[in-house]
Amino acid sequence: MIAEAIEASKALMKAVPLLGGSTSTADYKSAIELIDYLIEHDDENPLIEFLSAKIESYERLHADFVPFNTALENLPRGVEALRQLMKDYGLKQSDLRVEIGGKSLVSQILSGKRSLTVEHIRALAVRFNVPTSVFIE
């Protein structure tokens, strides 16, 4: 059993080099393709969790992501982050209908009369591809 597990892990790292610590951009892109496939076709596969961790580590540490990560760290938080993202993407209040609701609700949130809900924060994080923590003050 131990020998089989060791051989299987070696074969897996050969097939998916990012799991073995590769820092190659090609291996990163292949891992992204694999995780996309698994999520679509086999969303219970435990490989998704392993790949997610390795992809996150790659994106946190690789030089290609330093400018993005630095910009993300320097983003304001909460409603200010939302304002900045709206400005960066050229969005109007009505453009956030799917994530927040009507223009009136968006206006109330931007003016501080209402708060973002957990559902709003999740939807905004997906839309802008940022961590949910960006919208928490």
Side-chain angles (χ1 to χ4, degrees):
M1 178 172 115
I2 293 173
E4 288 177 12
I6 290 171
E7 288 305 312
S9 67
K10 287 179 182 177
L12 183 58
M13 284 186 265
K14 184 177 180 184
V16 187
L18 194 72
L19 289 173
S22 171
T23 59
S24 158
T25 300
D27 292 340
Y28 163 76
K29 289 179 180 179
S30 293
I32 294 285
E33 289 175 19
L34 176 56
I35 202 168
D36 286 345
Y37 178 87
L38 289 172
I39 289 170
E40 188 172 325
H41 296 93
D42 188 10
D43 65 349
E44 299 284 325
N45 192 310
L47 189 54
I48 293 170
E49 189 175 332
F50 300 128
L51 277 172
S52 295
K54 287 296 188 173
I55 289 168
E56 179 187 347
S57 177
Y58 181 93
E59 290 174 347
R60 191 173 8 92
L61 301 173
H62 198 273
D64 289 348
F65 290 90
V66 169
F68 174 78
N69 291 335
T70 301
L72 191 58
E73 289 170 11
N74 292 326
L75 268 179
R77 296 285 182 228
V79 174
E80 289 303 314
L82 179 57
R83 276 194 194 97
Q84 185 61 48
L85 288 164
M86 288 174 68
K87 179 180 173 187
D88 291 348
Y89 284 83
L91 300 175
K92 298 175 285 200
Q93 293 176 0
S94 59
D95 294 325
L96 297 175
R97 175 169 277 121
V98 171
E99 293 79 15
I100 295 177
K103 186 177 172 182
S104 174
L105 180 55
V106 175
S107 178
Q108 290 175 2
I109 289 170
L110 292 174
S111 70
K113 293 178 183 172
R114 301 267 313 256
S115 298
L116 288 168
T117 66
V118 172
E119 291 81 19
H120 296 152
I121 290 169
R122 286 184 181 141
L124 290 167
V126 169
R127 176 172 189 159
F128 295 112
N129 194 29
V130 297
T132 54
S133 61
V134 167
F135 301 105
I136 300 171
E137 297 191 47

